[in-house]
């Protein structure tokens, strides 16, 4: 049996890991407390929330619109939604999560398979390359992260 490699491998891994998170989410179904925003004090002494560098939570539709496509939903569960679409820049996998803890658990596992990820508040987009994700970062915020992948050598 031949296993896929190249750009398809991170997308295949993302789909498999999405299913694992759903199963783990049912086992750990206690609600996660919402993170408290960081606050800072202005020169007038008022305390205001600091801006979130990852941006506000974005919906699947908003992320797809920023990519210039319509996402086909692959998985719609309480813990996460997964969808994908193809543009001229390549194939994108969009995931939205019920909590940042679930997003971080997914990202930790997914990065072992390599790939490029744009990560925001309760969402992640897997893309064909770092450069393909930069225009989306300009639209939605977030940070671009990369995984080393199996067998990666410097």
């Amino acid at each position: 049996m031949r296993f896929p490699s190249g750009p398809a491998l991170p997308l295949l891994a993302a789909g498999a890991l999405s299913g694992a998170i759903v199963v783990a989410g049912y086992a750990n179904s206690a609600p996660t407390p919402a993170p408290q925003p960081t606050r800072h004090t202005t020169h007038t002494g008022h305390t205001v929330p600091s801006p979130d560098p990852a941006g506000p939570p974005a919906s699947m539709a908003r992320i797809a619109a920023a990519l210039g496509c319509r996402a086909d939903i692959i998985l719609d569960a309480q813990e996460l939604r997964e969808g994908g679409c193809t543009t001229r820049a390549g194939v994108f996998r969009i995931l939205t999560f019920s909590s940042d803890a679930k997003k971080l658990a997914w990202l930790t596992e997914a990065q072992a398979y390599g790939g490029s990820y744009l990560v925001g508040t309760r969402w992640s987009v897997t893309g064909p390359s770092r450069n393909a994700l930069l225009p989306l970062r300009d639209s939605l915020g977030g940070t671009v992260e990369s995984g080393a992948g199996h067998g990666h050598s410097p």
Side-chain angles (χ1 to χ4, degrees):
M1 177 177 185
R2 186 181 162 161
F3 290 98
S5 62
L9 184 59
L11 296 176
L12 179 63
L17 290 170
S18 297
I21 288 176
V22 169
V23 172
Y26 285 117
N28 300 318
S29 60
T32 304
Q36 297 299 312
T38 306
R39 298 187 171 274
H40 68 275
T41 305
T42 65
H43 69 280
T44 61
H46 291 84
T47 302
V48 296
S50 296
D52 183 354
S59 68
M60 179 82 60
R62 180 173 171 219
I63 295 168
L67 282 166
C69 64
R70 183 179 165 270
D72 293 320
I73 304 299
I74 298 165
L75 178 65
D76 192 357
Q78 184 178 356
E79 291 79 17
L80 68 95
R81 290 185 80 206
E82 179 181 3
C85 65
T86 303
T87 70
R88 281 186 268 165
V91 177
F92 294 87
R93 186 72 56 219
I94 305 164
L95 294 111
T96 58
F97 301 88
S98 60
S99 72
D100 272 323
K102 287 180 173 56
K103 176 197 69 184
L104 292 173
W106 175 85
L107 185 62
T108 298
E109 294 297 321
Q111 286 180 322
Y113 294 93
S116 298
Y117 309 88
L118 178 61
V119 182
T121 302
R122 297 192 328 247
W123 57 269
S124 178
V125 177
T126 303
S129 69
R130 177 181 177 81
N131 287 340
L133 293 169
L134 293 177
L136 186 60
R137 182 188 68 187
D138 293 343
S139 299
L140 297 175
T143 57
V144 177
E145 300 189 23
S146 298
H150 295 294
H152 182 267
S153 58

